[in-house]
Amino acid sequence: MNILKRWFGHKEEVAGLDIGSSTIKIAQVTKTPSGYAYSRFASCPTPPMTIKDGSIVDARVLGETIHQLMQSQGITATRLVSAVSGQSVVIRPISMTQMTERELQHAIKFEAERYLPYSVAEAQITGRILPGSAEGEDKMMEVLLVAAPNEMVKNTREVVTLAQATADSIDLEPFALLRALNRGVDPEARRQTIALINLGASSSSINIFHDGTLRHNRTITVAGNNFTKAIGQSLNLSFEEAEKIKKEKGVIRVEKDATPVAPTTMRIFNVIIPVLTELVTEIQRSFDYYRNRFKGESVDLVVLSGGTAKFKNIDVFISSELSIDCQIANPFRNISIQNVQGISPDDLEALAPMAMVVTGLALRSE
């Protein structure tokens, strides 16, 4: 019966689900004879007080919101691929004695005790042997330690269940970002060392990939809300008002640009300079750590994703401060978005930096 169902039964639809602290996004990507194509995209604001410090605190409201979003947009997927992220998720390269993949999965839990801020009994843990790591006479190899708290994974699955869907899988955000990055840059660039900085609302992540392999992941608290709060405090505005004026009038000034700007725009820039400085400092700290960890290897390209990547000139500013090429992420460069139900290609293109995670999650099902 199972074999007959697999061969002749209806294939269940799968969609990517990105539950952000500011916005919920759902996407479906299909593989066609001519390549990948978006078929569905939907988004809505994340209900207040449902996520705190990256953790789900009200699964019921989130689940109901996602279900309503899918119904209103005609998304009929029965299986969802979501992800976990944040400071509780540990992804880091470590050195271990050379062993087989099977032996590693047994040994990694004991090794993980040195690196996790919580008990190994409370986490899902795995390890990946990094390419070209078993070198030298010391019989050591480089392993990517990956761990996430059981509670975090359980809560994400619960949200999907409450959305009246099935959790196809729970991914880790950096791996979803890498999947989308591979669609958004040319093959030659993929072989470089790329820092993909996902600038979210309540937190940001710095992910460094070398030749398509994740080598560094770090979550920082400098994010879009920091800019909004600074603007609100300076102009005596509510958070909602400050967010609106940030999007409408916020421009990051760069030395090469001598174009006159309105007084409000200049005031906003002056207010957010400390936040920008803190962001650049955190990025540079990660780059310095990476350079020391990997024998002087440096970052070749910076790619910015997330909602805050839409802040005008932030890519030019970061490029100038770090003296590294910087660009805005676009997962649609090699994915057709011409026939997406419910949204025009131009409107979807404008959301490209925000769609990196959900695109990577949707691609996992293909």
Side-chain angles (χ1 to χ4, degrees):
M1 181 64 182
N2 288 337
I3 294 176
L4 291 177
K5 184 176 180 181
R6 187 188 315 144
W7 284 356
F8 301 110
H10 173 68
K11 182 181 178 181
E12 291 184 282
E13 290 186 72
V14 182
L17 169 65
D18 176 17
I19 308 172
S21 60
S22 174
T23 309
I24 294 170
K25 295 166 283 289
I26 302 174
Q28 284 183 273
V29 175
T30 56
K31 193 172 185 179
T32 70
S34 58
Y36 287 98
Y38 248 77
S39 57
R40 298 274 187 174
F41 179 86
S43 66
C44 70
T46 302
M49 310 302 291
T50 56
I51 294 179
K52 183 178 181 181
D53 299 329
S55 298
I56 293 169
V57 295
D58 196 331
R60 181 186 61 80
V61 171
L62 279 173
E64 290 175 354
T65 301
I66 293 165
H67 178 63
Q68 291 170 7
L69 177 63
M70 293 175 70
Q71 281 196 317
S72 67
Q73 298 299 312
I75 297 176
T76 57
T78 55
R79 305 183 72 86
L80 299 176
V81 179
S82 194
V84 294
S85 63
Q87 292 181 328
S88 296
V89 176
V90 175
I91 307 174
R92 61 177 296 170
I94 61 174
S95 295
M96 293 183 65
T97 303
Q98 191 173 341
M99 64 186 73
T100 66
E101 186 72 40
R102 184 175 180 179
E103 292 170 332
L104 172 64
Q105 297 313 316
H106 176 73
I108 192 68
K109 294 183 180 180
F110 299 98
E111 190 71 19
E113 293 180 350
R114 300 168 52 189
Y115 304 98
L116 301 189
Y118 39 79
S119 168
V120 294
E122 300 171 353
Q124 296 193 20
I125 303 167
T126 189
R128 297 183 180 183
I129 300 175
L130 294 175
S133 62
E135 299 177 354
E137 300 178 357
D138 54 2
K139 301 294 184 181
M140 300 297 287
M141 66 181 185
E142 288 288 303
V143 173
L144 191 67
L145 167 66
V146 179
N150 291 330
E151 189 72 13
M152 180 178 283
V153 176
K154 174 189 170 187
N155 288 344
T156 304
R157 288 188 177 277
E158 184 181 3
V159 168
V160 173
T161 300
L162 291 168
Q164 300 183 34
T166 300
D168 185 83
S169 57
I170 305 298
D171 202 353
L172 295 180
E173 187 176 283
F175 299 134
L177 287 168
L178 176 59
R179 226 172 280 124
L181 180 68
N182 286 339
R183 307 304 308 175
V185 298
D186 59 65
E188 185 175 339
R190 290 177 212 161
R191 291 191 288 271
Q192 296 180 318
T193 300
I194 302 177
L196 177 52
I197 303 170
N198 193 41
L199 301 168
S202 61
S203 65
S204 301
S205 66
I206 302 171
N207 311 277
I208 302 180
F209 304 99
H210 175 74
D211 198 13
T213 299
L214 178 64
R215 281 186 164 183
H216 176 78
N217 164 261
R218 178 169 166 247
T219 299
I220 60 176
T221 57
V222 188
N225 289 350
N226 297 70
F227 293 100
T228 305
K229 290 175 182 176
I231 294 168
Q233 290 171 0
S234 174
L235 302 182
N236 195 26
L237 301 173
S238 67
F239 185 88
E240 291 73 20
E241 292 170 331
E243 182 72 13
K244 183 179 179 181
I245 201 170
K246 178 183 75 173
K247 293 178 178 179
E248 293 178 352
K249 298 185 178 182
V251 176
I252 297 172
R253 299 287 291 167
V254 291
E255 291 183 6
K256 297 178 182 178
D257 188 359
T259 307
V261 296
T264 301
T265 298
M266 197 65 206
R267 184 175 178 185
I268 289 172
F269 173 62
N270 290 331
V271 165
I272 65 171
I273 286 177
V275 182
L276 282 169
T277 301
E278 186 180 2
L279 175 61
V280 170
T281 298
E282 292 296 341
I283 295 171
Q284 188 63 64
R285 186 174 297 166
S286 283
F287 288 7
D288 290 342
Y289 170 84
Y290 180 81
R291 192 177 298 109
N292 292 332
R293 179 72 173 75
F294 292 97
K295 301 175 183 178
E297 189 177 296
S298 59
V299 173
D300 301 307
L301 174 67
V302 175
V303 178
L304 304 179
S305 64
T308 305
K310 291 172 63 64
F311 209 138
K312 189 174 181 180
N313 288 339
I314 192 168
D315 55 331
V316 181
F317 181 86
I318 289 178
S319 176
S320 175
E321 291 294 309
L322 299 176
S323 298
I324 301 174
D325 288 342
C326 182
Q327 65 186 43
I328 303 299
N330 184 356
F332 307 143
R333 284 191 180 131
N334 295 298
I335 299 178
S336 173
I337 56 172
Q338 297 306 308
N339 298 297
V340 185
Q341 296 189 37
I343 187 170
S344 71
D346 287 344
D347 288 343
L348 186 53
E349 186 77 35
L351 299 175
M354 301 172 58
M356 284 288 285
V357 173
V358 75
T359 299
L361 294 172
L363 284 168
R364 176 166 176 149
S365 64
E366 289 301 315

